[in-house]
């Protein structure tokens, strides 16, 4: 009988284009990041009420870091994941604090040490960006950021080219938080070290313990005694 | 004559038609070219010897398009084309359509048939075919399909012919066209309203039929035909030559000769489908004939909700694609590629002709048609539904074309005895491949 497929014997698959390979790799990385995020949400959804307190933050952050363990991704994949969190519905939908902690965990786990995120591209204002950023890492945020920027900063450098919300530098231990415009209330609440530089105005200072806070180039904490 | 010269001549004929005889908006766009779909598909039908069903509102040029194209491609003056037209009406009889007994010879005790002009002429036009009752539509089935006409135990076979039928939208005097008759048409195309401005110009011009009339040729043709002294071919060729000379004088163009038509047809048939176009046609046929539950689509079997293949076209249609469909797709895609001056038929050519070959053949699920009915559209519902379906099939094909082509390649090698793993995938074409390789899944 006639071979109904005979014309296709000579078929040779096209050589994959470099762009196709790059896109496939990015898709694969995004898929793995999405799975990690879903693992975090699955774990955190067990909490009936999500309260922002030290224990809950540490737990959620640890889960996020665990979920990201072994995932190989780049800053571009991180941006893609932010876009995914910004637009997705369903299981991958953005959930305020856990989403912000997940992005912070990604920033702390990504191979590159110099990270730039353009927040102007996103509708959401995630909290806790720069959470526990370790020494040797630099996070540059373009546009306005949400609350708790640079919380528990651990020696890294967070530069915000815009305004930030309340509790900037909450409990930070070391490092530099540089805000190009203004910050909200309780700036530097509970900070134990490091420096916060706000180029614009500070809504109100929090109860800082140690470290330095500058407003428009003037040191406001510890308050300088007039000589 | 080189290939491009034939195409240039046909394009000049199209230019004459579209600029001086039949005004209509260009509504068919491909590869940067635009054409009026009614004229273009009528022209391709005449060139490939196909069958076209032209639908539309009364007075929008359905029959006119067929007549003008027939006259220019077959070199027959309009009067001759008119003599071969059959009107669809309830009182139509076999004697008027096919032929009648030769009464003179019958009186002398001999049986002979006087074949109708419709049966004998190479350009056949059935005007308002849906005014033929369902019972009489079967009178023309065989003739339409094969050009074979039978009467009084005698048979007339047309070597070369094309057929146009026109149909109005449903009104009190129309009947439903039976599926076997519809399936015999290669393409369905709508004669659209040309728009207020062109319609005004058409009104200004009046009838342009005189350009394609030549009373002397027509009278000579009819006389020669009735004398029957010469063969039909000779009579047609004499008429064509006389008419061609007149047409050259009037507009500097010659209609095609039989030899030219044959050469064009050979050129069109020689154009191969590239592998992607080939695979796309298979993907379309798989979606229109496959059923995982009943073995194949049948208009008597009802597709159930929740089937794994709900997202494919097989769920949306009720009937199965006939074997005439691939033939129509193949011929018209080749003709379109030839018209565009391509050396191969690409997937875009198949995609462009597909809605016109599917529109009249598919029997849709009511829910699908109801959903399409509410959409904004520029075409009659059946054509619109076929175009949407084509787009959906093409999207599915395009997303997985490399995998499908690889699967077909693997199938070719397995078929020739190589020991390779069976191609696996979700598209119905994979299941069809496995069946052809004798590896059907157990139910």
């Amino acid at each position: 009988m006639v071979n109904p497929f005979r014309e296709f014997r000579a078929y040779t698959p096209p050589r994959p284009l470099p762009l196709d390979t790059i896109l496939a790799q990015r898709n694969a990385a995004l898929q793995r990041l999405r799975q990690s995020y879903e693992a975090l949400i699955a774990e955190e959804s067990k909490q009936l009420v999500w309260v922002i307190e030290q224990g809950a933050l540490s737990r959620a952050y640890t889960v996020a870091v665990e979920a990201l363990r072994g995932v190989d991704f780049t800053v571009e994949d991180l941006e893609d994941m932010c876009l995914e969190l910004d637009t997705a519905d369903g299981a991958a939908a953005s959930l305020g604090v856990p989403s912000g902690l997940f992005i912070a965990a990604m920033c702390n786990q990504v191979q590159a040490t110099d990270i730039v995120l353009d927040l102007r591209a996103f509708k959401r204002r995630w909290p806790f960006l720069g959470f526990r950023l370790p020494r040797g890492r630099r996070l540059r945020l373009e546009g306005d950021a949400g609350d708790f920027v640079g919380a528990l900063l651990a020696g890294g450098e967070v530069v915000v080219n815009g305004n930030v919300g309340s509790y900037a530098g909450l409990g930070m231990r070391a490092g530099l938080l540089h805000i190009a415009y203004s910050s909200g209330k309780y700036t530097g609440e509970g900070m134990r070290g490091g420096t916060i530089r706000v180029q614009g105005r500070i809504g109100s200072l929090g109860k800082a313990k140690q470290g330095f806070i500058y407003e428009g180039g003037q040191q406001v904490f510890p308050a300088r005694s007039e000589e | 004559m080189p290939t491009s010269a034939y195409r240039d001549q046909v394009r000049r004929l199209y230019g004459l038609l579209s600029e001086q005889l039949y005004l209509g908006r260009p509504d068919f766009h491909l590869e940067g070219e635009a054409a009026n779909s009614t004229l273009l598909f009528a022209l391709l039908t005449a060139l490939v010897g196909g069958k076209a069903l032209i639908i539309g509102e009364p007075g929008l040029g359905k029959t006119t398009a067929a007549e003008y194209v027939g006259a220019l491609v077959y070199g027959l003056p309009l009067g001759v084309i008119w003599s071969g037209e059959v009107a669809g009406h309830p009182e139509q009889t076999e004697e008027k359509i096919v032929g009648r007994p030769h009464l003179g010879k019958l009186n002398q005790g001999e049986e002979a048939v006087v074949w109708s002009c419709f049966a004998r002429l190479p350009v056949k036009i059935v005007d308002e075919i849906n005014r033929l009752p369902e019972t009489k539509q079967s009178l023309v089935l065989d003739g339409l399909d094969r050009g074979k006409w039978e009467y009084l135990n005698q048979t007339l076979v047309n070597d070369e012919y094309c057929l146009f039928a026109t149909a109005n939208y449903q009104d009190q005097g129309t009947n439903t066209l039976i599926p076997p008759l519809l399936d015999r048409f290669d393409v369905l195309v709508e004669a659209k309203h040309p728009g207020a401005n062109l319609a005004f110009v058409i009104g200004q011009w009046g009838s342009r039929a005189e350009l394609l009339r030549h009373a002397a040729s027509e009278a000579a043709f009819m006389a020669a035909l009735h004398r029957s002294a010469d063969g039909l071919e000779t009579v047609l060729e004499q008429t064509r030559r006389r008419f061609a000379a007149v047409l050259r004088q009037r507009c500097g163009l010659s209609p095609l000769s039989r030899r030219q038509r044959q050469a064009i047809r050979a050129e069109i048939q020689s154009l191969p489908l590239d592998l992607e176009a080939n695979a796309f046609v298979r993907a379309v046929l798989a979606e229109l004939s496959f059923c995982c539950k009943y073995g194949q689509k049948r208009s008597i079997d009802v597709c159930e909700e929740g089937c794994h293949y709900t997202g494919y076209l097989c769920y949306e249609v009720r009937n199965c694609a006939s074997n005439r469909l691939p033939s129509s797709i193949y011929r018209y895609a080749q003709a379109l590629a030839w018209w565009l001056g391509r050396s191969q038929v690409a997937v875009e050519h198949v995609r462009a002709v597909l809605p016109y070959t599917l529109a009249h053949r598919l029997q849709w699920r009511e829910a699908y048609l109801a959903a399409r009915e509410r959409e904004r559209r520029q075409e009659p519902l059946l054509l619109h539904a076929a175009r949407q379906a084509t787009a959906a099939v093409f999207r599915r094909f395009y997303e997985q074309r490399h995998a499908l082509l690889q699967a077909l390649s693997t199938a070719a090698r397995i078929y020739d005895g190589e020991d390779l793993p069976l191609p696996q995938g979700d598209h119905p074409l994979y299941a069809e491949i496995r069946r052809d390789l004798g590896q059907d899944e157990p139910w």
Side-chain angles (χ1 to χ4, degrees):
Chain A
M1 212 162 88
V2 63
N3 181 343
F5 313 106
R6 64 186 183 283
E7 294 108 317
F8 293 93
R9 264 203 84 98
Y11 172 73
T12 46
R15 226 176 40 178
L17 296 171
L19 184 63
D20 289 341
T21 316
I22 293 167
L23 286 176
Q25 283 170 352
R26 285 187 71 165
N27 278 340
L30 183 63
Q31 185 64 28
R32 285 196 296 274
L33 288 176
R34 200 185 289 132
Q35 284 167 357
S36 302
Y37 178 71
E38 284 168 10
L40 168 69
I41 296 305
E43 187 61 32
E44 291 307 302
S45 60
K46 292 173 187 166
Q47 310 298 319
L48 287 178
V49 180
W50 217 100
V51 182
I52 298 179
E53 45 90 18
Q54 178 70 18
L57 291 175
S58 290
R59 187 195 60 241
Y61 178 77
T62 308
V63 172
V65 169
E66 278 302 313
L68 286 167
R69 197 175 297 281
V71 180
D72 190 19
F73 62 98
T74 63
V75 176
E76 287 76 22
D77 300 325
L78 195 161
E79 279 181 335
D80 286 350
M81 188 59 201
C82 288
L83 194 65
E84 181 81 4
L85 287 171
D86 196 44
T87 53
D89 300 320
S94 188
L95 283 179
V97 175
S99 302
L101 287 173
F102 187 76
I103 294 170
M106 284 196 295
C107 291
N108 298 349
Q109 299 286 313
V110 70
Q111 284 174 352
T113 52
D114 209 351
I115 307 145
V116 181
L117 268 185
D118 190 350
L119 300 178
R120 292 167 299 191
F122 309 120
K123 294 192 295 285
R124 294 178 195 271
R125 292 281 165 264
W126 294 288
F128 290 102
L129 298 184
F131 183 81
R132 285 192 186 173
L133 190 75
R135 191 176 304 280
R137 285 186 179 259
R138 186 169 183 264
L139 171 64
R140 186 180 174 85
L141 301 171
E142 294 291 341
D144 295 343
D147 297 335
F148 302 102
V149 169
L152 300 189
L153 194 63
E157 184 182 340
V158 177
V159 179
V160 184
N161 197 12
N163 299 294
V164 300
S166 301
Y167 292 100
L170 171 77
M172 65 183 272
R173 293 159 190 168
L176 172 68
L177 173 59
H178 185 102
I179 296 155
Y181 296 101
S182 301
S183 65
K185 292 177 182 174
Y186 309 111
T187 299
E189 175 76 24
M191 77 184 276
R192 293 176 179 184
T195 306
I196 299 175
R197 289 183 182 277
V198 181
Q199 297 287 98
R201 302 289 299 274
I202 293 176
S204 70
L205 279 179
K207 289 177 188 164
K209 292 173 180 165
Q210 287 176 30
F212 299 94
I213 302 176
Y214 295 87
E215 182 182 27
Q218 298 289 321
Q219 185 178 318
V220 291
F221 178 82
R224 283 193 165 183
S225 57
E226 288 189 16
E227 293 180 8
Chain B
M1 195 183 266
T3 310
S4 60
Y6 287 133
R7 189 169 50 252
D8 287 348
Q9 190 181 356
V10 172
R11 281 179 167 264
R12 282 198 296 276
L13 290 178
Y14 179 84
L16 174 70
L17 280 162
S18 62
E19 284 161 29
Q20 295 189 42
L21 290 163
Y22 186 92
L23 296 183
R25 282 180 178 145
D27 57 347
F28 183 89
H29 302 267
L30 190 65
E31 296 184 5
E33 292 203 29
N36 178 268
S37 59
T38 319
L39 268 189
L40 180 63
F41 277 93
L43 189 64
L44 298 184
T45 300
L47 289 176
V48 300
K51 289 147 228 144
L53 178 61
I54 307 176
I55 59 169
E57 294 285 359
L60 291 188
K62 302 183 292 293
T63 317
T64 308
E67 288 169 350
Y68 289 177
V69 167
L72 286 175
V73 174
Y74 284 80
L76 298 171
L78 268 187
V80 174
I81 299 280
W82 289 339
S83 70
E85 274 182 35
V86 161
H89 60 76
E91 303 306 317
Q92 198 55 272
T93 61
E94 196 170 11
E95 283 68 29
K96 291 178 192 166
I97 299 174
V98 182
R100 61 177 173 80
H102 192 298
L103 296 176
K105 287 188 178 171
L106 198 62
N107 274 338
Q108 294 161 7
E110 282 181 57
E111 267 194 3
V113 178
V114 179
W115 298 103
S116 69
C117 284
F118 175 75
R120 296 182 75 182
L121 283 180
V123 181
K124 303 183 193 302
I125 299 174
V126 185
D127 200 15
E128 303 194 352
I129 193 167
N130 56 345
R131 295 200 189 281
L132 281 176
E134 282 88 342
T135 48
K136 291 191 176 170
Q137 289 174 21
S138 47
L139 276 179
V140 290
L141 278 183
D142 235 19
L144 296 198
D145 200 21
R146 298 176 196 153
K148 181 170 81 85
W149 306 94
E150 287 180 354
Y151 191 78
L152 283 182
N153 292 332
Q154 290 191 30
T155 305
L156 171 73
V157 179
N158 302 127
D159 295 330
E160 182 198 21
Y161 76 102
C162 63
L163 185 131
F164 300 95
T166 69
N168 293 323
Y169 297 121
Q170 291 291 320
D171 61 36
Q172 290 160 337
T174 58
N175 301 288
T176 310
L177 290 175
I178 55 176
L181 180 63
L182 279 173
D183 190 51
R184 280 161 168 81
F185 289 105
D186 291 302
V187 289
L188 174 141
V189 66
E190 186 192 32
K192 294 191 177 78
H193 188 269
N197 299 306
L198 285 179
F200 179 82
V201 178
I202 292 169
Q204 246 178 355
W205 280 6
S207 171
R208 308 291 281 180
E210 281 310 310
L211 194 66
L212 299 179
R213 293 286 316 269
H214 188 234
S217 306
E218 291 162 8
F221 173 83
M222 296 313 289
L225 201 63
H226 288 130
R227 277 201 308 277
S228 293
D230 306 314
L232 179 68
E233 288 309 323
T234 317
V235 176
L236 286 172
E237 186 53 25
Q238 284 167 355
T239 310
R240 189 199 68 80
R241 281 193 191 150
R242 209 173 292 142
F243 180 56
V246 173
L247 209 60
R248 253 195 311 275
Q249 207 175 9
R250 285 179 186 165
C251 47
L253 277 179
S254 289
L256 299 178
S257 67
R258 183 180 165 89
R259 193 176 54 78
Q260 287 172 324
R261 285 194 304 277
Q262 283 170 341
I264 290 170
R265 226 159 268 160
E267 281 177 8
I268 290 174
Q269 282 168 5
S270 71
L271 293 184
L273 261 74
D274 69 21
L275 284 188
E276 260 193 34
N278 186 327
F280 178 49
V281 175
R282 289 168 194 249
V284 171
L285 296 174
E287 289 207 25
L288 289 173
S289 60
F290 173 78
C291 181
C292 67
K293 185 166 184 185
Y294 303 119
Q296 65 159 79
K297 291 295 297 178
R298 286 184 199 88
S299 44
I300 49 169
D301 292 328
V302 181
C303 216
E304 285 177 2
E305 293 284 338
C307 167
H308 174 73
Y309 292 93
T310 300
Y312 292 98
L313 216 52
C314 56
Y315 179 70
E316 306 295 358
V317 295
R318 291 192 286 120
N319 60 328
C320 182
S322 81
N323 287 335
R324 294 188 185 98
L325 174 64
S327 166
S328 301
I329 297 171
Y330 215 101
R331 282 204 297 171
Y332 278 75
Q334 283 178 314
L336 184 62
W338 179 86
W339 165 260
L340 293 165
R342 301 285 168 250
S343 57
Q344 270 196 323
V345 180
V347 72
E348 283 304 318
H349 304 132
V350 175
R351 192 182 166 194
V353 301
L354 206 53
Y356 301 94
T357 56
L358 292 179
H360 53 298
R361 288 182 160 115
L362 299 184
Q363 295 170 27
W364 296 102
R365 212 163 50 90
E366 275 179 24
Y368 181 81
L369 218 48
R372 300 282 83 80
E373 197 169 17
R374 291 188 289 273
E375 290 171 351
R376 187 180 167 85
R377 57 190 156 92
Q378 301 281 338
E379 298 173 305
L381 179 59
L382 288 180
L383 206 46
H384 173 72
R387 197 173 295 283
Q388 297 302 310
T390 299
V393 180
F394 182 74
R395 192 173 56 248
R396 285 191 284 273
F397 169 77
Y398 200 75
E399 283 167 1
Q400 49 186 314
R401 65 193 188 284
H402 297 312
L404 280 172
L405 282 159
Q406 186 61 59
L408 288 162
S409 170
T410 307
R413 293 162 64 191
I414 294 174
Y415 205 93
D416 287 342
E418 287 186 45
D419 187 16
L420 295 167
L422 278 176
Q424 299 291 337
D426 191 62
H427 195 280
L429 186 55
Y430 288 99
E432 294 285 1
I433 290 171
R434 287 195 293 273
R435 276 188 200 175
D436 288 329
L437 295 174
Q439 302 290 326
D440 205 1
E441 294 99 341
W443 299 110

